[in-house]
């Protein structure tokens, strides 16, 4: 069974069909990329699948279960986690606390128990801190564990977001432009990190404009243009597809 199945998903803003009858399947253990020119509907598609927006029509199934209409935190508990094209990091917290936010998503927390500082809660908080520090090391931020979030470089913040998403222990990780704004060295590090995440068994769905990164990483690529599916296939198939070439030449012309 596919891990994620999307069927005829559509959403419009005013008159604009941002996502128009899009269908695809993501196989477990794969790296699946969504590409397309600016405004093609990639982020909207992510927002629909991750519960930020509601679809006008169509269906999303996670492990065969219909998940339309579920809230982002409910989807997180089912194993779907994400990062954002525009960083969503709390700058008035430490880097470590930002990662801990991701872990809290998967726990049921009782404010009363926390207030009473029951030993079990105190022990669990210590455990969460340890896990968050481990995740920071995993994404290459071991030396920033005690740093305030606003002291981190942009490249480090992009990796911090991935650590926070991983703290929810996802089966399926959505990354919206993880390499945007990064220099070639940082992009290479992100490439390595995404491969490491995928090899650990987490299925990755990626939106990215950096074609070198996409072609290098992806098992399967979906191409969107004006909200519609333009093409789909392996990197080699997509690269030689005349419709894809025309859409990209048109976008850069
Ligand atoms: N919240 C919104 N309200 C109104 N229109 C929106 C909204 N979000 C997206 N759109 C429109 O939907 C279309 C698709 O936008 P979307 O952000 O999904 O594109 P994208 O493929 O992610 O582009 P980019 O590569 O620039 O990030 C665009 O026409 C955009 O203006
Ligand atoms: Mg986008």
């Amino acid at each position: 069974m596919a891990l994620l199945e999307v069927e005829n998903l559509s959403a419009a803003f005013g008159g604009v069909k941002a996502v128009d009858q899009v269908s695809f399947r993501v196989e477990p253990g794969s790296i699946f990329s969504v590409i397309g020119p600016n405004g093609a509907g990639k982020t909207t598609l992510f927002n629909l699948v991750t519960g930020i927006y509601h679809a006008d029509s169509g269906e999303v199934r996670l492990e065969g279960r219909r998940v339309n209409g579920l809230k982002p935190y409910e989807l997180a508990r089912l194993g779907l986690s994400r990062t954002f094209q525009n960083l969503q990091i709390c700058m008035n917290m430490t880097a470590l606390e930002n990662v801990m936010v991701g872990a809290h998503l998967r726990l049921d927390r009782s404010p009363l128990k926390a207030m009473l500082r029951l030993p079990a809660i105190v022990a669990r908080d210590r455990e969460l801190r340890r896990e968050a520090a481990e995740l920071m090391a995993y994404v290459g931020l071991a030396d920033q564990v005690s740093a305030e979030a606003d002291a981190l470089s942009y490249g480090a913040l992009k990796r911090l977001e991935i650590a926070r998403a991983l703290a929810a222990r996802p089966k399926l990780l959505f990354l919206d432009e993880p390499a945007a704004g990064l220099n070639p060295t940082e992009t290479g590090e992100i490439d390595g990190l995404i491969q490491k995440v995928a090899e650990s068994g987490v299925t990755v769905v990626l939106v990215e404009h950096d074609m070198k990164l996409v072609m290098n990483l992806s098992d399967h690529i979906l191409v969107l243009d004006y909200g519609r599916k333009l093409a789909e296939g392996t990197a080699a198939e997509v690269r030689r597809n005349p419709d894809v070439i025309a859409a990209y030449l048109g976008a850069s012309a």
Side-chain angles (χ1 to χ4, degrees):
M1 191 205 310
L3 180 56
L4 179 74
E5 293 163 285
V6 170
E7 222 174 86
N8 296 324
L9 206 62
S10 298
F13 298 109
V16 179
K17 287 182 175 172
V19 171
D20 192 6
Q21 298 281 324
V22 171
S23 301
F24 61 93
R25 304 156 65 88
V26 178
E27 299 302 329
S30 63
I31 300 180
F32 184 103
S33 292
V34 182
I35 65 170
N38 292 114
K42 306 178 297 292
T43 295
T44 303
L45 180 64
F46 266 34
N47 286 337
L48 291 170
V49 174
T50 59
I52 311 263
Y53 294 161
H54 288 296
D56 297 330
S57 58
E59 187 161 292
V60 181
R61 288 187 297 273
L62 189 60
E63 298 182 305
R65 171 184 169 178
R66 187 186 151 95
V67 293
N68 294 58
L70 293 189
K71 305 232 157 41
Y73 74 88
E74 293 170 317
L75 288 164
R77 285 188 186 152
L78 294 176
L80 193 157
S81 193
R82 72 170 291 178
T83 65
F84 295 85
Q85 183 171 353
N86 306 308
L87 286 170
Q88 306 271 319
I89 294 289
C90 291
M91 289 300 179
N92 58 355
M93 300 187 342
T94 66
L96 189 78
E97 284 163 354
N98 270 281
V99 178
M100 290 174 73
V101 168
H104 282 291
L105 269 175
R106 68 166 200 269
L107 304 167
D108 58 316
R109 290 186 62 80
S110 145
L112 180 65
K113 277 194 218 159
M115 226 161 58
L116 294 172
R117 295 197 54 81
L118 295 179
I121 297 279
V122 174
R124 195 171 66 179
D125 259 28
R126 200 177 302 130
E127 175 64 14
L128 282 184
R129 261 174 203 283
R130 197 187 54 75
E131 271 180 34
E134 267 175 18
L135 275 172
M136 284 187 66
Y138 183 80
V139 302
L141 297 174
D143 53 345
Q144 310 281 355
V145 165
S146 323
E148 295 295 324
D150 64 8
L152 268 57
S153 70
Y154 183 73
L157 289 170
K158 295 290 268 188
R159 278 184 277 153
L160 188 69
E161 261 215 340
I162 295 177
R164 183 183 58 198
L166 289 173
R169 296 209 189 126
K171 294 174 189 156
L172 188 55
L173 175 65
F174 278 69
L175 302 172
D176 194 351
E177 301 205 18
L182 302 188
N183 67 37
T185 309
E186 292 169 324
T187 301
E189 287 164 2
I190 285 286
D191 184 314
L193 175 58
I194 294 171
Q195 282 190 46
K196 188 165 79 166
V197 168
E199 279 161 17
S200 79
V202 177
T203 304
V204 176
V205 183
L206 180 72
V207 164
E208 189 44 67
H209 284 290
D210 186 318
M211 280 308 127
K212 190 165 157 251
L213 185 81
V214 167
M215 295 299 165
N216 183 41
L217 283 175
S218 312
D219 297 302
H220 198 84
I221 301 174
L222 168 71
V223 190
L224 291 184
D225 194 24
Y226 296 106
R228 289 185 151 267
K229 176 155 84 178
L230 185 70
E232 197 181 354
T234 62
E237 285 164 354
V238 160
R239 209 188 331 228
R240 61 169 180 257
N241 183 306
D243 294 335
V244 176
I245 295 164
Y248 273 92
L249 289 177
S252 63

